Amino acid sequence: PVAMGSAPYGVLRLSRHCVYDLLRLEEQLLRKTPGRSWLVVNDGVKEPTVVMGISGKKEDLVDSEAARRKGVGLVKRFTGGGTVVLDENSILVSLICEAADAPDVPELFPRALMRWSKDFYDPVFSAHGDFGLSETDYTFGDLKFGGNAQYISKRKFLHHTSFLWDYDPQRMKCLLHPPKEPEYRQGRGHLDFICRLRDHYGGGREAFLGSLTGALDARGLEWEDIGLEAVRSMLSQAGGAGALQSTKRVPL
């Protein structure tokens, strides 16, 4: 149930949005909308982009020559986590939550929050395969279809996921084998430890996108659709912290 007096979750639905702009928007929603929680869904990104975590080093993670050749950009986001290649077949979903609006989160620590997120997505995925949380990734069996990153503050957290609805094997070659990998990967090459969500989610892409608010319903959380212009207006009225520097474009 919704905490007394709290606003409904704002649901912002976007399509083919620029991932650099999206990350900056998410950071503003995290920092400038006290008392409001959000579900942000972006269906595909505008242009192919490699996105690294805030501590990622380009030379360790990205084949810059391959990325330049394929016209793939590079962005460093404001959260931690691993490196992903995003394109029109990546579906990005972010939960930006007031702690009071997620009363069943046991504690605001990364592992507890990761486990909570798995429970949150159970109604969406459990009927479509052996859905699990493998360290910080969502998997069917031992194959990854979603990568996660988080930002946690005292009263609010952000948990964002890139879902592989489909992927281009050639673009995946922009990623180097990372120096540090999750244990369950067991040295497998990139294409050997990921899978396409479209091969598991029987209802199709539109049904998947529609199922995300069902996860809010399953927890008894109220929500309302809020369009991008209304969100931008809300943020401009909030003022302050306008120049967010944490998400950056990185030259290749």
Side-chain angles (χ1 to χ4, degrees), residues 11-232:
V11 175
L12 173 61
R13 304 175 201 257
L14 302 168
S15 180
R16 300 294 288 268
H17 205 76
C18 164
V19 69
Y20 172 76
D21 290 341
L22 176 68
L23 287 162
R24 288 171 67 85
L25 181 69
E26 287 183 5
E27 189 176 2
Q28 291 193 75
L29 291 173
L30 176 71
R31 300 189 192 287
K32 296 172 68 174
T33 60
R36 169 75 82 166
S37 295
W38 299 89
L39 173 70
V40 181
V41 182
N42 183 46
D43 181 19
V45 302
K46 190 176 177 183
E47 50 220 8
T49 309
V50 172
V51 180
M52 301 186 295
I54 194 163
S55 58
K57 293 184 172 63
K58 174 178 70 173
E59 50 278 10
D60 292 338
L61 300 168
V62 183
D63 183 334
S64 294
E65 189 182 329
R68 280 195 299 270
R69 204 167 53 242
K70 297 175 198 301
V72 175
L74 180 60
V75 165
K76 182 177 280 197
R77 65 176 177 265
F78 67 97
T79 53
T83 309
V84 291
V85 181
L86 305 178
D87 62 15
E88 65 277 7
N89 282 310
S90 310
I91 297 174
L92 309 181
V93 183
S94 300
L95 287 158
I96 304 169
C97 301
E98 292 282 319
D101 290 342
D104 51 347
V105 176
E107 49 189 355
L108 285 186
F109 290 108
R111 283 187 183 177
L113 188 51
M114 204 64 76
R115 287 193 298 270
W116 173 85
S117 79
K118 193 270 180 187
D119 293 342
F120 178 86
Y121 280 116
D122 260 335
V124 178
F125 296 118
S126 56
H128 297 274
D130 180 18
F131 173 50
L133 175 68
S134 299
E135 294 170 64
T136 61
D137 296 332
Y138 297 144
T139 50
F140 286 122
D142 65 351
L143 296 175
K144 169 181 176 174
F145 69 92
N148 298 295
Q150 300 172 337
Y151 186 100
I152 301 171
S153 66
K154 197 172 180 181
R155 293 189 183 85
K156 204 158 191 165
F157 65 84
L158 175 144
H159 176 89
H160 52 192
T161 308
S162 57
F163 290 109
L164 291 164
W165 181 255
D166 199 349
Y167 60 81
D168 177 344
Q170 292 304 311
R171 285 187 185 138
M172 288 294 174
K173 291 178 180 175
C174 296
L175 298 182
L176 299 174
H177 199 110
K180 187 180 172 191
E181 65 175 21
E183 206 172 292
Y184 84 96
R185 181 169 177 169
Q186 296 185 315
R188 288 177 289 173
H190 207 75
L191 295 178
D192 296 323
F193 96 109
I194 60 176
C195 65
R196 295 173 165 89
L197 182 52
R198 67 179 295 172
D199 293 339
H200 293 264
Y201 201 92
R205 189 165 178 157
E206 289 304 315
F208 168 60
L209 292 165
S211 73
L212 296 164
T213 49
L216 293 175
D217 294 335
R219 282 187 132 59
L221 295 166
E222 295 175 11
W223 56 273
E224 61 183 355
D225 280 301
I226 302 180
L228 181 58
E229 289 313 308
V231 169
R232 290 202 194 283

